[in-house]
Amino acid sequence: MSNTPPKHIAIIGSGPSGCFVAQSLQRAWKDSEITVFDRFAVPYGLIRYGVAADHQHTKAITRQFDRMFADGSVRFAGNVEIGTDISLAQLRERFDLVILASGRWRDRHLSVPGSSLKGVIPSGDIINALNAVPRPSIPLPEIGERVVVVGAGNVAIDMVRFLVKTAADYAGSDVAPGALEQYLAAPASAITVLSRSPIATAKADVAMVKELGKIAGVRYTFANSSPATEDNALGRKREDAFAALAEIEVDEPRAHVHFVFGAEPSKVTGAGKVEQVHLGAAPVGEASVIPADTVISAIGFDANAPGHLNYAEEFDFTPAEESGKVDEGLYRVGWLKRGPVGAIPANRADSNVVAKEILAAAESGELTASLDRGGFESLPESLRAQSVSFAAWQKIDAAETAAAETDRIRTKLLDHEAMLDIAHS
């Protein structure tokens, strides 16, 4: 290995990909100084603000990152937005290695006639409200009693689970109480889920489908366009999971969820707001027009959405599975590299691959430390002063856990300025 590996390393984004690559590099280069920046005052990005509020077992992965930051081996610097508080070019002047791990966050929009009607909601707006995302804080959109969910991946299943759960089902979660109360005041009772694909090739994990069966008081039915082939073991397991849902007997269900696989929405109609969803294709026997007052799109993310990568407009962020290198001393990981696919384990694997690529570059002499770069301590004093350290985040953490309502693990702060007041107190 080179005698002079990068001394000062900056990682932009404290979500799982950023934290995993920080772990890998810290293990290899114990004398290097690694700083993880985030525009929020709090760490963990997708884990805190993207994972469903009722999936606390998934969020538990933050405990290993807590140890990494708490022992001082990696610095957390929250409340620093690259592109606003400091440019990427200025950051690169001060760090030997910069790794972009800021993800991709904008929903792919439904692109059928009528998709701009009131009542058509991207799933991200709901996820943001339930997870109390600040900066900006987005209130929970109004949701009616007849809901059509477009999509059949894990995010779509997250939406169904949210629509049919009761307040008691959120015990032990960190769901935003105001958003949940707003929805449960008049919850949906008729939910139709539309998937272009048959069950065999739908994206939902089997475990996510089975989880729906644990929610009491819900009736499930489904229609499928074509069965899985004999050699499609996963597709057949997914079919079995939906068949098991449909076999659940429920007396006086409070909600009915109907999955339609092989359905293609052709347009949304209504007088100023959603009233019907029309299908251009559907399995035999299925209605071609579905009454609805809300449409939730859960059809993935827009990998090329403009805006949030304005700090690095000169670079190409077309998704790529191969190298994470963007430029000399500049790399990318996670969804920013591969596109918005895969859950936390996939991002862990990707971060490990990019870390090995970086280590190999240092081994070859391509990446070295420079005496001209001073890392975090060379940043303007005002910027260092505004940043939120891990110890300061722990004050916010303590305040949120102390404010937790009964059967909740925390009540997240919605106001970013309030977070800063606590952090800097």
Side-chain angles (χ1 to χ4, degrees):
M1 181 173 290
S2 167
N3 291 327
T4 56
K7 174 66 176 176
H8 301 293
I9 300 169
I11 298 173
I12 302 174
S14 66
S17 293
C19 287
F20 283 131
V21 78
Q23 277 186 326
S24 294
L25 295 181
Q26 194 280 327
R27 280 195 290 265
W29 295 332
K30 296 190 182 303
D31 293 333
S32 294
E33 173 202 276
I34 300 175
T35 302
V36 180
F37 294 94
D38 202 295
R39 72 187 186 96
F40 291 122
V42 297
Y44 305 141
L46 178 70
I47 303 171
R48 176 177 166 102
Y49 289 131
V51 173
D54 59 335
H55 275 184
Q56 291 300 314
H57 56 284
T58 302
K59 298 189 178 203
I61 197 170
T62 58
R63 292 171 189 158
Q64 63 174 280
F65 303 144
D66 283 345
R67 292 191 291 272
M68 175 182 75
F69 287 121
D71 70 14
S73 57
V74 175
R75 173 191 290 112
F76 174 68
N79 190 41
V80 177
E81 185 168 29
I82 310 304
T84 301
D85 298 316
I86 186 171
S87 71
L88 178 61
Q90 290 172 318
L91 201 69
R92 294 181 68 188
E93 290 172 355
R94 291 166 169 80
F95 289 81
D96 300 313
L97 168 65
V98 176
I99 303 170
L100 311 177
S102 55
R104 300 180 193 260
W105 52 271
R106 187 167 296 180
D107 287 59
R108 189 156 65 91
H109 287 282
L110 193 62
S111 58
V112 299
S115 58
S116 60
L117 282 172
K118 182 181 179 183
V120 178
I121 305 167
S123 56
D125 286 2
I126 296 174
I127 293 169
N128 288 349
L130 294 175
N131 275 310
V133 175
R135 208 182 184 192
S137 174
I138 299 176
L140 185 73
E142 183 179 342
I143 299 173
E145 295 186 356
R146 298 175 301 177
V147 179
V148 170
V149 178
V150 181
N154 287 341
V155 173
I157 300 298
D158 279 346
M159 291 296 99
V160 173
R161 212 171 58 251
F162 156 63
L163 292 169
V164 300
K165 275 195 166 184
T166 66
D169 292 320
Y170 285 90
S173 80
D174 60 356
V175 68
L180 185 64
E181 289 169 9
Q182 175 189 323
Y183 171 70
L184 292 179
S189 57
I191 300 145
T192 304
V193 184
L194 304 178
S195 168
R196 293 176 187 268
S197 306
I199 294 177
T201 54
K203 301 298 184 185
D205 290 344
V206 172
M208 294 279 283
V209 178
K210 290 181 176 179
E211 188 178 347
L212 293 177
K214 298 176 183 177
I215 305 170
V218 184
R219 177 177 173 242
Y220 297 97
T221 54
F222 71 94
N224 195 16
S225 55
S226 59
T229 57
E230 287 293 331
D231 61 349
N232 185 350
L234 178 57
R236 293 174 69 83
K237 286 182 180 178
R238 197 179 291 113
E239 287 179 345
D240 290 344
F242 277 101
L245 279 183
E247 290 174 358
I248 297 172
E249 296 184 1
V250 183
D251 295 329
E252 299 181 1
R254 54 187 168 76
H256 175 204
V257 181
H258 183 51
F259 291 89
V260 187
F261 293 92
E264 186 168 344
S266 60
K267 61 181 177 181
V268 181
T269 59
K273 67 182 295 298
V274 173
E275 294 180 8
Q276 302 95 17
V277 176
H278 300 251
L279 303 184
V284 175
E286 289 298 303
S288 59
V289 180
I290 304 169
D293 42 38
T294 305
V295 175
I296 300 173
S297 63
I299 51 177
F301 297 85
D302 185 351
N304 298 308
H308 84 297
L309 295 178
N310 60 354
Y311 64 82
E313 288 180 336
E314 68 271 36
F315 298 109
D316 179 12
F317 290 103
T318 302
E321 286 288 341
E322 299 78 25
S323 172
K325 183 177 177 180
V326 178
D327 196 10
E328 294 298 325
L330 182 66
Y331 288 75
R332 58 174 171 163
V333 293
W335 281 12
L336 189 58
K337 170 175 170 280
R338 297 178 296 109
V341 293
I344 290 173
N347 285 323
R348 177 196 293 116
D350 183 70
S351 292
N352 289 337
V353 168
V354 175
K356 289 179 181 177
E357 181 184 1
I358 291 170
L359 294 172
E363 178 76 20
S364 70
E366 178 185 332
L367 281 174
T368 60
S370 170
L371 295 176
D372 297 331
R373 299 187 176 101
F376 183 81
E377 295 302 327
S378 70
L379 295 174
E381 193 279 334
S382 59
L383 189 63
R384 285 182 281 128
Q386 80 172 51
S387 70
V388 173
S389 68
F390 188 76
W393 140 247
Q394 288 178 310
K395 295 181 185 177
I396 300 172
D397 185 31
E400 289 185 338
T401 52
E405 298 183 1
T406 304
D407 290 335
R408 300 287 190 270
I409 62 166
R410 74 172 63 237
T411 297
K412 291 180 187 171
L413 289 163
L414 270 168
D415 186 339
H416 196 256
E417 292 303 316
M419 291 182 185
L420 297 180
D421 288 343
I422 294 171
H424 292 145
S425 63

